[in-house]
Amino acid sequence: MCGIVGYVGNKNAQDFLISGLRRLEYRGYDSAGIVSLDGNGEPTLLRAKGKISNLEEKLAKNKREDKIGIGHTRWATHGEPSEVNAHPHRAGKIFLVHNGIIENYKELKEQLKKSHEFKSETDTEVLAALINSFYGDGKYPLLNAVVQALKLVKGTYGIAVVSTDLPDEIVVARSGSPLVIGVGNDETLIASDASALVGHTKKAIYLNDGEVAVVTKNNINIKTLNAEPVSAKVEEIETNLSAIQKGEYEHFLLKEIMEQPESLIETLRGRVNVETGTVRLGGPGLTNEELRQIKHLVIVGCGTAYHAGLLAMYYIEQFAPEISIETVIASEYRYRQAYIPKDSVALIVSQSGETADTLACLRGIKKQGIKTIGIVNAIGSTIAREVDGGTYVHVGPEISVASTKAFTSQVVAMVMFGLTIAQAKGVKPGILRPYVEEIAKLPEEISRVLTEMKEPIKEIANKYIKYDHAIYLGRDVAYPTVMEGALKLKEVAYVDANAYAFGELKHGPLSLIDDRFFEMALILDGELYDKTVSNTQEVLARGGHIVAITNVAGFDLPAEDVVKITTDLKIFVPILMNLIMQLFAYYVTVAKGYNVDQPRNLAKSVTVE
Ligand code: M6R
């Protein structure tokens, strides 16, 4: 949520700032700004409402050769998206960019009003004024001014600060909002997400909460807010350029949907043994004895990560019946007084590894002495660093705001974790083997379904762009799957799409069925098939407009559209059905002409509560 960049070195700072902001635009895109300083500290401040392209237009008329600067792309929290609310914010000689929320900004603002004339409605300008109140005429070191100010602040922040007195240093700090320092040759780069650094350096230092650093082109000096020195750990950035570019695709969303066979292969690499019918996850770091002791799982996530947790729960319950599982929404769970038995393990699910609510749950659960295992994608992210153990899903950068490839791999990674527990508990290999075999087959099946279905789904999607309302329906494992399908359509195509368990229809939602709605129904072969068909008929009898996705060859209900999936898989068919719903959401949105990668009001990584 919001993106920060910074540069100090020998090259053109404005160039890096703009290209960095472009890479981070998916984190927030309602306004953006940069400030650069020339050798005398003379600032050039450029800010624009809307996309980075608007900022670029301003930059074209204000090109400088400055070698230091900071920039920001915003997802508005305090104050509407506008130029005056865009970062960097100025107070006296200092400029500040900020991710996060200053919770006590109102009281601070009251005190600072006497010395600073506020121009914006933001909490960030309050922090700028606060730092400036300590910095004053510049006799007090900038680092000390920043530290003094941060000690008075309640809330979360990742910040970068420059002063017109100091055209060779940037002060950065973090608490609850990520900040990465890129170590280059005669240059130091700052970003809130390592993807902005790709192609510039492979070496990165991830700042921890409560740390502050002074960076120059050749020096990085990190301390805690209490002035204790910190020895920096330099880590390697593994991402390459092609992973963060669209390549042959028009949109990141389509690229990320289509790359699921490869991204899932990365999730499975070295973890699945079809010959023995077993899986092996090194990351959780639990001994067989510890795995045997597990009686409860709590799965925590938000949005798509939550849905992945729900679907994994349905699967794990099938083969590890002596474990109770609760899958919870992080934003609720963090405030519940839930008792977690000691023989529990918590799975913390997050693509970005930075989601504020999920992180808060992780910290709360750890405090109760419960083991936490991360199911995370972003390497080096806060959640990945704070969990006791974890399994990276390794799907590579997910840039489109709508999560797709992460979902598939999160489900499979969690099922593999469940299988690991079941293996340790001595569940009969004959029960577990079909899961392992199907997991191994999934990448190929995903590839086939995507290739065969892409064009037909595009055609079907075009017929449904007229609907503003949709009901998504499924039973059993198809129920969490339709929750995910509905979220996708809702967030990118702005369709009021809601998911219901098929069996719940008669308890209320059935009264909604009319010509304003279409219904997406997942109809799985198996034990509940006949019941699902009856439910579908009930909708048809009331004039429903059904798109049925099914793996039943002889399915012959008069749905408006029927998408038949041919597959040998029996267990993980919902994952294939979800691909159809991902493609459907993508094509509906493209046909409507909306920005499919950056839906309105949203941002990729939700680092505020
Ligand atoms: O990075 P996380 O997995 O923690 O993000 C959780 C949700 O914010 C995320 O899945 C969100 O719901 C997506 N936009 C859904 O497509």
Side-chain angles (χ1 to χ4, degrees), residues 302-305 349-353 355 401-403 410 487-488 491 606:
C302 297
T304 290
V349 195
S350 176
Q351 186 285 127
S352 63
T355 302
V401 166
S403 188
Q410 285 163 345
L487 174 64
K488 238 31 10 143
E491 79 174 313
V606 186

Side-chain angles (χ1 to χ4, degrees), residues 67-293:
K67 306 288 189 276
I68 182 170
I70 53 177
H72 189 264
T73 174
R74 180 168 185 251
W75 183 86
T77 58
H78 297 68
E80 59 170 11
S82 66
E83 186 173 332
V84 78
N85 286 333
H87 304 204
H89 286 284
R90 182 175 196 168
K93 294 179 174 181
I94 71 129
F95 289 88
L96 166 74
V97 292
H98 164 229
N99 286 353
I101 289 182
I102 308 300
E103 287 167 7
N104 57 339
Y105 81 103
K106 276 195 182 142
E107 2 173 333
L108 293 169
K109 193 170 183 176
E110 271 318 301
Q111 294 159 24
L112 291 160
K113 267 180 182 163
K114 293 168 216 125
S115 54
H116 178 83
E117 192 193 326
F118 284 93
K119 296 178 187 67
S120 76
E121 299 154 82
T122 65
D123 51 338
T124 302
E125 191 183 357
V126 176
L127 180 56
L130 186 62
I131 296 171
N132 187 50
S133 72
F134 289 104
Y135 185 63
D137 58 8
K139 292 204 180 86
Y140 199 54
L142 180 59
L143 173 71
N144 295 16
V146 170
V147 169
Q148 292 309 319
L150 292 180
K151 283 186 173 172
L152 298 178
V153 152
K154 288 194 195 115
T156 54
Y157 54 80
I159 59 167
V161 189
V162 290
S163 157
T164 54
D165 288 335
L166 303 162
D168 57 358
E169 95 173 29
I170 306 175
V171 174
V172 293
R174 86 158 261 178
S175 180
S177 206
L179 220 122
V180 194
I181 303 173
V183 188
N185 289 330
D186 278 339
E187 61 182 5
T188 304
L189 310 104
I190 309 292
S192 50
D193 175 334
S195 64
L197 309 179
V198 174
H200 298 277
T201 178
K202 278 201 158 298
K203 289 190 270 174
I205 298 168
Y206 294 86
L207 226 54
N208 290 308
D209 278 353
E211 290 178 356
V212 57
V214 179
V215 308
T216 62
K217 66 178 178 181
N218 292 313
N219 199 28
I220 296 161
N221 189 358
I222 308 178
K223 291 187 172 153
T224 66
L225 282 184
N226 296 325
E228 293 138 3
V230 172
S231 67
K233 188 171 155 223
V234 180
E235 297 180 39
E236 180 148 348
I237 301 173
E238 289 176 12
T239 312
N240 57 33
L241 264 181
S242 66
I244 55 171
Q245 288 167 345
K246 283 186 220 157
E248 67 190 85
Y249 294 98
E250 202 183 332
H251 301 107
F252 280 111
L253 185 55
L254 187 59
K255 176 182 183 236
E256 288 160 12
I257 292 171
M258 296 307 288
E259 69 192 13
Q260 288 178 93
E262 294 78 33
S263 57
L264 185 57
I265 287 174
E266 291 310 313
T267 312
L268 304 186
R269 194 175 294 287
R271 292 167 169 170
V272 180
N273 187 332
V274 184
E275 271 166 32
T276 57
T278 57
V279 296
R280 206 179 74 83
L281 296 177
L286 298 170
T287 62
N288 266 348
E289 188 43 38
E290 285 171 319
L291 288 165
R292 273 195 286 277
Q293 298 302 323

Side-chain angles (χ1 to χ4, degrees), residues 493-520:
Y494 314 148
V495 174
D496 171 28
N498 289 300
Y500 299 99
F502 243 136
E504 273 293 294
L505 265 191
K506 292 198 239 350
H507 301 285
L510 197 55
S511 67
L512 287 170
I513 308 288
D514 66 19
D515 285 342
R516 294 169 307 151
F517 286 78
F518 76 89
E519 296 79 32
M520 178 74 75

